[in-house]
């Protein structure tokens, strides 16, 4: 199918790109899901950042389908970097939660997002084990085709927080452990579940109330950020970062929260926004 990106209506283009993303995510998931818990690491980009042959083959299949169905594309993938030079930019994480995947823990997914210039148009997060497809377009957000709304508690005592903090891949410093300890007390639950993309999807679906991350990559968060926004939630990025304000999925540090949560009264506002992310106020544009 040939689709003229330059002359396309935004909603029509969004629907077209979402269809590609869903198809690619389902195909990839059908390929790698049977290997969960049955495959070893092929290599490691770092001790906390493993990769398997399934990651590589899954991305290859996704990229092949994207270029076949929408040639006017640029793909930024976790495994093979940037490919192509088209107008639509895709952000692909072929298996988010690789450690869970290798261990056979059913909390991993495919994450695919598509943007044109400064506007995100499509996002999909697919867990092939549960069969859940979290999807977003300009028309809104859905879970397995049904409308999805981001909603939750207004105070910390009723909230579930999902995070990967302290971030893996480097030694944990005492201040980080102390900060994590301060977050554990006021919330109903704090979980480190091993997939940034699914953390975001769960907030979008109202299963959790807040998530935050540091040092992430666009393929980790692009689809999830769009899901939260289209489901009526808030995806917050550094206010001083001009590029991030236009393209928030390029920001490595972020909040994703329900509309009800009052950050001014939440421990997140004090411990994370004003303390941990204090450098945002003077951060240079990335």
């Amino acid at each position: 199918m040939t689709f003229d990106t330059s002359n396309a209506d935004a909603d029509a283009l969004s629907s077209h790109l979402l269809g590609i993303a869903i198809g690619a995510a389902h195909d990839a998931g059908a390929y790698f899901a049977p290997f969960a818990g049955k495959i070893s690491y092929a290599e490691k980009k770092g001790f906390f950042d493993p990769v398997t042959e399934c990651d590589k083959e899954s991305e290859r299949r996704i990229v092949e389908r994207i270029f076949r169905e929408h040639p006017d594309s640029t793909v930024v993938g976790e495994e093979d970097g940037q490919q192509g030079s088209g107008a639509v930019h895709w952000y692909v994480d072929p298996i988010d939660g690789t450690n869970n995947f290798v261990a056979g823990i059913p909390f991993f997914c495919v994450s695919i997002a598509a943007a044109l210039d400064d506007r995100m148009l499509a996002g999909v997060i697919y867990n092939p084990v549960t069969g859940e497809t979290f999807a977003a377009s300009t028309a809104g957000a859905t879970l397995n085709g049904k409308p999805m709304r981001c909603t939750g508690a207004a105070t910390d005592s009723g909230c579930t927080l999902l995070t990967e903090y302290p971030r893996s891949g480097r030694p944990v410093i005492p201040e980080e452990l102390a900060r994590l300890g301060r977050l554990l007390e006021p919330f109903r639950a704090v979980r480190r579940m091993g997939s940034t993309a699914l953390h975001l999807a769960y907030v979008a679906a109202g299963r959790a109330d807040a998530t935050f991350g540091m040092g992430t990559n666009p393929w980790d968060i692009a689809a999830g950020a769009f899901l939260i926004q289209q489901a009526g939630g808030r995806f917050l990025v550094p206010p001083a970062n001009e590029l991030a304000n236009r393209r928030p999925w390029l920001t490595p540090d972020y909040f994703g929260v329900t509309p009800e949560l009052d950050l001014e009264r939440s421990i997140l506002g004090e411990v994370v926004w004003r303390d941990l992310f204090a450098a945002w106020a003077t951060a240079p544009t990335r």
Side-chain angles (χ1 to χ4, degrees):
M1 176 181 179
T2 300
F3 199 101
D4 187 352
T5 301
S6 62
N7 294 323
D9 171 80
D11 292 337
L13 178 59
S14 175
S15 177
H16 167 69
L17 298 177
L18 181 61
I20 296 172
I22 290 175
H26 286 184
D27 285 353
Y31 153 69
F32 69 72
F35 293 99
K38 302 174 184 177
I39 191 170
S40 59
Y41 300 123
E43 61 185 70
K44 289 190 177 183
K45 293 175 280 187
F47 182 76
F48 295 99
D49 192 15
V51 63
T52 72
E53 289 297 337
C54 286
D55 291 84
K56 296 178 179 180
E57 177 62 15
S58 177
E59 183 167 308
R60 187 195 68 77
R61 293 179 182 217
I62 292 168
V63 171
E64 182 180 79
R65 181 161 183 159
I66 287 172
F67 281 120
R68 182 174 69 247
E69 298 192 17
H70 194 85
D72 188 17
S73 293
T74 298
V75 178
V76 181
E78 179 177 16
E79 306 306 332
D80 292 324
Q82 183 169 315
Q83 302 176 60
S85 58
V88 174
H89 279 66
W90 299 80
Y91 301 92
V92 174
D93 194 335
I95 306 178
D96 187 61
T98 298
N99 277 312
N100 287 345
F101 169 68
V102 172
I105 299 170
F107 198 79
F108 52 83
C109 65
V110 185
S111 179
I112 303 174
L116 179 64
D117 299 323
D118 293 340
R119 186 175 185 185
M120 188 63 66
L121 293 176
V124 171
I125 293 174
Y126 173 58
N127 182 336
V129 178
T130 62
E132 292 179 319
T133 303
F134 304 85
S137 69
T138 56
T142 61
L143 172 54
N144 287 349
K146 297 181 179 180
M148 181 174 70
R149 295 300 298 171
C150 177
T151 186
T155 60
D156 292 351
S157 61
C159 285
T160 295
L161 169 68
L162 307 179
T163 185
E164 291 302 299
Y165 183 83
R167 184 168 61 92
S168 299
R170 54 178 175 71
V172 176
I173 60 176
E175 288 83 354
E176 291 177 327
L177 295 178
R179 190 174 287 116
L180 181 61
R182 291 187 64 192
L183 293 173
L184 291 174
E185 183 177 359
F187 288 104
R188 181 179 61 191
V190 176
R191 299 285 183 262
R192 299 180 77 247
M193 299 172 71
S195 168
T196 294
L198 281 173
H199 284 176
L200 290 160
Y202 274 32
V203 172
R207 295 177 178 176
D209 306 275
T211 185
F212 76 90
M214 297 184 66
T216 60
N217 297 290
W219 51 80
D220 297 316
I221 65 172
F226 192 47
L227 279 167
I228 288 177
Q229 291 170 330
Q230 294 303 96
R234 293 174 290 165
F235 187 82
L236 308 175
V237 299
N241 190 323
E242 181 183 354
L243 176 60
N245 286 331
R246 290 188 288 114
R247 302 177 185 179
W249 59 89
L250 298 181
T251 304
D253 309 321
Y254 65 88
F255 266 129
V257 296
T258 62
E260 294 89 354
L261 185 60
D262 185 351
L263 281 176
E264 286 300 315
R265 297 186 178 184
S266 170
I267 192 71
L268 283 175
E270 177 185 347
V271 172
V272 181
W273 189 268
R274 289 190 289 270
D275 178 8
L276 184 58
F277 295 162
W280 279 7
T282 56
T285 301
R286 297 181 188 273

